[in-house]
Amino acid sequence: MSKLHIGCHLSNSKGYLAMGREALELDADTFAFFTRNPRGGKAKDIDPKDVDDFLTLCREHSFAPLVAHAPYTLNPCAAKENLRDFARETMIDDIRRLELTPNNYYNFHPGSHVGQGADVGIDLIADLLNSVLYPRQTTTVLLETMAGKGSEVGRSFEEIRAVIDKVSLKEKLGVCLDTCHISDAGYDVINDLDGVLAEFDRIIGLDRLKAIHLNDSLNPPAAHKDRHAKIGEGHIGIEALARVINHPKLKDLPFILETPNEHEGYKKEIALLREERAKAGI
């Protein structure tokens, strides 16, 4: 039977080893964490021994790749140059730090063009990526699919592909697909998952899909609002989300829960989804 690689967002306030131990308490074998305060600011210092102990724990328990998350304040396509500079400096620092835990993922929201237009936004995002990616890095940077609220870039597979096309080191890039976001963006993950994945493959390529943010949505499809719900308590529903985790083209990816939960809520959702994997017998 194929193992479900699943986890949730954890606080990195106590370091890597503490996050790894908490993941194991939740029956998780991957997790996400913000590289620094999600609203921005200086990242906490990293203890080399904590990292070494964590990497040992990961090997012992066969962890899947981790999915680190950039702060929400990072906007690579902001209209103001100082905000773009902040995004660039933050991403450079984050990737440098993530290289201490090699071969994991760094996920970021492509940003909001704030009235400049999507084409300008796409150019600015690509410019930033071209300035921060380097050939020897082991960290894969993931562009996240977005719901399309306001002036977000990444509301369609075409916009994600347009960014990738303008980046030189394409091999350092992947995509994180968020089920709430793409449903809110108008992709029919409820009734036509196969069709959505075929479209993704045609436009971006499924080989670039590296991780899934598994979330239900408080909104009906195509609402363009981005409000996450607990698994089975939103408009997507448990049956559709079970099809996502058990789909033959997705089943081996790391799945990250970003649902409105605390420790016990995540533990119940992970147990529920592991049960759905067991029922599928794959």
Side-chain angles (χ1 to χ4, degrees), residues 162-173:
V163 173
I164 294 170
D165 281 345
K166 292 176 180 291
V167 174
S168 297
L169 294 175
K170 293 177 176 58
E171 67 274 17
K172 304 300 180 183
L173 291 179

Side-chain angles (χ1 to χ4, degrees), residues 119-136:
D119 289 344
V120 172
I122 287 164
D123 285 343
L124 290 172
I125 297 162
D127 286 347
L128 178 139
L129 290 168
N130 279 324
S131 70
V132 304
L133 301 177
Y134 62 97
R136 294 187 306 280

